[in-house]
Amino acid sequence: MTVLSIIRDCLDALLHPSARYDALTRARHRAFMAPRLLGSLAAFAAFPVYLATRGAPGAIEVAAFAWLIAPILLSWFLSRTGRYEGAHVLSSLALAGLIMAVAGTTGGIESFAAIWLVVVPLEAALSASRRVAAFASLLALSCAGVLILAGQLGWLPAGDASAAERGALMAFGVASATLYAAGLAFGAESLARTSVALLLREEERYRLLARNMSDVISRHRRNGAVQFISPAVEAMLGMPVAQLLGHGLFDRVHVADRPAYLTALSDAARGDVRSVEFRLRREPAGSERGQVDFIWVEMRCRPLDQDMGRQDIDGDATREAEVVGVMRDVTDRKLAEQALDQARSAAEAADAAKTRFLATMSHELRTPLNAIIGFSEMIAQEQTLMLGAAQRKEYAQLINDSGQHLLSVVNGILDMSKMESGNFEIASEPFAPRASLMHCCNLLALKARENGIDLITDAPQDLPVMTGDPRAFKQIVLNLVANAIKFTERGGQVTVSAAVSGSQLALRISDTGVGIAADDLKRIGAPFFQAGKTYQRRHEGTGLGLSIVKSLVALHLGELTVQSRLGEGTSVTVRLPLVYTPPQVKTSDSKTSDRMAAESKIATLTPVPRQELQDQSHDQPALVKKSA
């Protein structure tokens, strides 16, 4: 341990508690106490030597030595109170008093000690206080004025020293004052060096903090121009800081969010604390196509100077208010909120589907069951009711029709359940699509004739053999044609056509019926959904037909397109691959996700005018026409 470190530790032990936790204040207190303690100790050490060489001192000599020891009291005052400016004021008074005492007995203003009055304001400059420096300057000028006035009035004793002695004393005064001033200069330089070192250390600390923290700190003008932004923004946006200064950050704010961004900065400049969320354009590193995306950012901004912000409200500010903002990436939180909203929407949709299911089943199941129960009771009481053979046959046929309808409803629900759970399997085999198509149309020809509807079938003879599930193919055609017949008024027309398009078979079922509203097109294909309030209960059905078709087309890796306009008819186009290739075996989760992804791609719903539907139906000649 060196002598300097021992002295430093001793000085630190004498410091006031208020100065121990700030490096610059500690250095100033140490610089004030060290020379005064050393000077006083030197005076203590020199006093015995003076007594040994000169003998008993006089009153003036004792006063001089007492004055030299007085700085110990100043150090004690600073150590006990911590009042740095007050200690400098007392030091200026003590030094000025010593100078006045020596100058008053050695010639007044012409004394060698008068030059030391210049040192008084120089010493006060170390206080870093304008008030102390001004006080010391006035004190030195006042002392000089008093010495001049006292000399003019003859209040001072006349000097009896010779010219040589006066010259020697003057040289001593100038030299000693110069040396003391040099000591003050070195002390000031040391304090300045300490201040710069502490400033650099503090700046490096904040730079390290700004460089390593994940949040981005920025400084803005009221108009949004960036004056400073921390390096953390490079990791957030993938671009250098220099490109974000000025209006570079504003240019990357999403256009829809710019008003909120500028409003928050303007409010913060007026003294308020604001928080705003907006989107920033980010350029991901390593993007080959130069694609850009947006991230959600939350910025909390406040005025750089609260007092200045309040002044700006009153119109008294002399300079433009500035704003400090802290930004953080909240994209994950936004995605979580969106996922929560989607989950809520899905839950609401499931609840609505349950409600539709109960409403539909209460009608579709109760009606045939009532018919079965009622007519079977009548047959059981045929003797009482005196039923004839024709009536019994009619009732039995009604019971059979009700049972068949009930079976079709249950089969539809079971098929839909299998498809929703991913357990519906495709039995792929070669089959002739034209024969299946004609068979389905023949089955529905009677129903079309009873409803007074023209059913036109256009199926070329040269349709190639395709590979797929023939049962699913027939179910697709039956559901679509039955729907078209169901929602077409008497005198209308339903056209069923098939053609080869590349490696796909294109089926188009178009009608001139009631059509589908644009709002309902978005929900077509949802289980138990039946579009349109005007015809919601005019037609029977569970609302599963198009949903089953949609799922079967997805399982065949095909495409489904629905074009319609309310009151102008509907056109449904199904494209199926001529050669169906089963996908690889995956887990149930993968099957479900793939099926959902496929379903999301097959339904393209577009309103289309009736004239276009008619043009599409008349593009090819009708090969088979079954009319009323």
Side-chain angles (χ1 to χ4, degrees):
M1 183 177 292
T2 62
V3 177
L4 290 178
S5 61
I6 296 175
I7 296 175
R8 186 185 296 263
D9 293 339
C10 294
L11 289 174
D12 289 342
L14 297 174
L15 294 178
H16 189 266
S18 62
R20 294 177 181 175
Y21 303 103
D22 183 75
L24 182 58
T25 304
R26 186 167 60 248
R28 286 176 175 173
H29 283 224
R30 194 187 297 135
F32 180 88
M33 297 170 62
R36 287 163 177 80
L37 290 175
L38 292 176
S40 298
L41 292 176
F44 266 121
F47 189 68
V49 177
Y50 182 82
L51 291 178
T53 57
R54 295 292 300 268
I60 297 178
E61 294 172 340
V62 172
F65 273 107
W67 213 289
L68 291 175
I69 298 172
I72 291 182
L73 300 177
L74 296 177
S75 300
W76 176 84
F77 172 81
L78 181 60
S79 175
R80 292 303 179 187
T81 63
R83 297 172 60 181
Y84 185 65
E85 293 184 3
H88 267 283
V89 170
L90 294 177
S91 178
S92 298
L93 290 173
L95 181 59
L98 177 62
I99 295 171
M100 288 294 290
V102 176
T105 57
T106 57
I109 195 64
E110 297 179 357
S111 171
F112 71 94
I115 192 64
W116 275 76
L117 290 176
V118 179
V119 179
V120 174
L122 293 179
E123 183 185 60
L126 295 179
S127 66
S129 172
R130 290 185 178 181
R131 293 182 300 175
V132 176
F135 171 79
S137 300
L138 291 176
L139 180 61
L141 291 175
S142 300
C143 291
V146 170
L147 290 176
I148 294 173
L149 180 61
Q152 293 294 330
L153 297 177
W155 293 350
L156 298 178
D160 54 356
S162 63
E165 290 177 349
R166 286 198 303 270
L169 290 175
M170 185 60 67
F172 172 76
V174 173
S176 59
T178 303
L179 291 176
Y180 191 77
L184 294 177
F186 280 112
E189 188 274 337
S190 178
L191 284 176
R193 188 164 7 101
T194 303
S195 300
V196 172
L198 292 174
L199 180 62
L200 292 177
R201 187 185 306 169
E202 196 72 12
E203 183 179 347
E204 182 61 28
R205 182 185 305 168
Y206 284 113
R207 185 181 292 111
L208 180 66
L209 181 63
R211 187 180 295 117
N212 291 279
M213 68 185 304
S214 58
D215 292 351
V216 177
I217 302 175
S218 55
R219 182 175 177 180
H220 306 258
R221 296 182 183 274
R222 175 179 290 184
N223 61 358
V226 177
Q227 294 180 292
F228 165 80
I229 191 165
S230 62
V233 74
E234 297 181 358
M236 179 184 290
L237 298 181
M239 60 185 312
V241 171
Q243 297 184 17
L244 299 174
L245 298 178
H247 292 285
L249 181 65
F250 174 78
D251 293 338
R252 309 193 73 78
V253 177
H254 195 282
V255 176
D257 299 332
R258 290 179 180 178
Y261 170 78
L262 293 177
T263 301
L265 291 176
S266 179
D267 291 344
R270 288 196 294 267
D272 299 330
V273 177
R274 287 289 180 264
S275 181
V276 62
E277 293 182 355
F278 54 91
R279 286 161 288 182
L280 277 177
R281 188 172 73 252
R282 176 178 61 183
E283 296 180 358
S287 176
E288 297 180 357
R289 297 178 298 175
Q291 70 178 52
V292 296
D293 60 353
F294 285 87
I295 61 172
W296 278 99
V297 172
E298 179 187 29
M299 183 175 72
R300 186 171 181 84
C301 45
R302 62 174 182 80
L304 182 62
D305 188 346
Q306 295 284 353
D307 295 334
M308 189 177 67
R310 287 191 290 269
Q311 290 175 0
D312 186 61
I313 296 176
D314 301 331
D316 297 333
T318 57
R319 60 190 180 93
E320 183 182 0
E322 295 180 351
V323 176
V324 173
V326 179
M327 294 182 291
R328 64 178 53 184
D329 188 348
V330 293
T331 305
D332 293 339
R333 191 190 74 191
K334 282 291 185 179
L335 293 177
E337 291 176 357
Q338 293 176 2
L340 184 61
D341 291 341
Q342 292 176 358
R344 185 184 298 110
S345 299
E348 293 174 353
D351 184 69
K354 179 192 70 174
T355 303
R356 291 195 304 270
F357 171 78
L358 294 176
T360 302
M361 290 303 100
S362 65
H363 173 79
E364 295 298 330
L365 297 180
R366 187 182 301 161
T367 301
L369 284 175
N370 286 337
I372 292 172
I373 294 172
F375 288 115
S376 62
E377 287 180 351
M378 296 178 69
I379 292 176
Q381 300 175 7
E382 60 176 341
Q383 295 180 354
T384 304
L385 298 177
M386 304 295 291
L387 298 179
Q391 288 179 315
R392 288 197 302 272
K393 183 178 180 181
E394 179 184 0
Y395 293 166
Q397 184 62 42
L398 291 174
I399 293 173
N400 181 268
D401 292 342
S402 299
Q404 293 294 335
H405 175 71
L406 192 60
L407 179 62
S408 66
V409 171
V410 173
N411 286 336
I413 296 175
L414 293 177
D415 289 344
M416 196 68 234
S417 299
K418 290 181 180 179
M419 294 175 189
E420 287 292 326
S421 61
N423 295 325
F424 193 93
E425 296 182 357
I426 297 296
S428 181
E429 61 181 68
F431 69 95
R434 186 179 187 279
S436 299
L437 181 65
M438 298 302 298
H439 176 70
C440 294
C441 292
N442 289 333
L443 290 178
L444 296 172
L446 179 60
K447 183 176 181 180
R449 189 179 302 114
E450 291 175 350
N451 293 346
I453 297 171
D454 290 339
L455 177 60
I456 303 174
T457 305
D458 181 5
Q461 297 286 344
D462 57 349
L463 282 181
V465 175
M466 64 182 298
T467 301
D469 191 333
R471 183 179 65 87
F473 180 83
K474 290 180 180 179
Q475 194 169 1
I476 291 173
V477 176
L478 288 174
N479 281 327
L480 292 178
V481 177
N483 265 357
I485 294 174
K486 182 191 301 184
F487 296 108
T488 301
E489 302 293 340
R490 181 174 294 275
Q493 177 179 297
V494 175
T495 303
V496 182
S497 61
V500 176
S501 176
S503 61
Q504 293 180 324
L505 177 68
L507 297 176
R508 180 181 289 112
I509 295 89
S510 57
D511 61 66
T512 59
V514 295
I516 304 171
D519 293 339
D520 292 337
L521 275 176
K522 302 175 183 179
R523 303 172 61 190
I524 285 296
F528 309 107
F529 172 74
Q530 292 178 320
K533 296 181 179 179
T534 57
Y535 52 87
Q536 186 172 2
R537 291 262 52 101
R538 290 173 55 192
H539 305 278
E540 295 183 350
T542 61
L544 291 175
L546 194 56
S547 180
I548 292 176
V549 169
K550 183 179 177 181
S551 299
L552 290 175
V553 172
L555 290 173
H556 278 82
L557 306 180
E559 300 176 1
L560 174 68
T561 304
V562 180
Q563 295 177 312
S564 182
R565 180 169 292 183
L566 192 62
E568 298 185 4
T570 303
S571 176
V572 181
T573 303
V574 176
R575 297 181 182 274
L576 299 174
L578 292 175
V579 179
Y580 168 72
T581 303
Q584 297 180 354
V585 179
K586 298 183 178 180
T587 61
S588 59
D589 292 340
S590 300
K591 288 181 180 179
T592 304
S593 61
D594 290 348
R595 178 177 55 81
M596 293 176 64
E599 288 184 5
S600 64
K601 296 178 181 177
I602 63 173
T604 305
L605 310 176
T606 310
V608 61
R610 181 169 184 171
Q611 183 62 37
E612 184 177 340
L613 292 174
Q614 294 176 351
D615 293 343
Q616 292 176 355
S617 63
H618 292 301
D619 285 343
Q620 299 175 345
L623 300 183
V624 179
K625 179 178 180 181
K626 299 176 175 61
S627 58

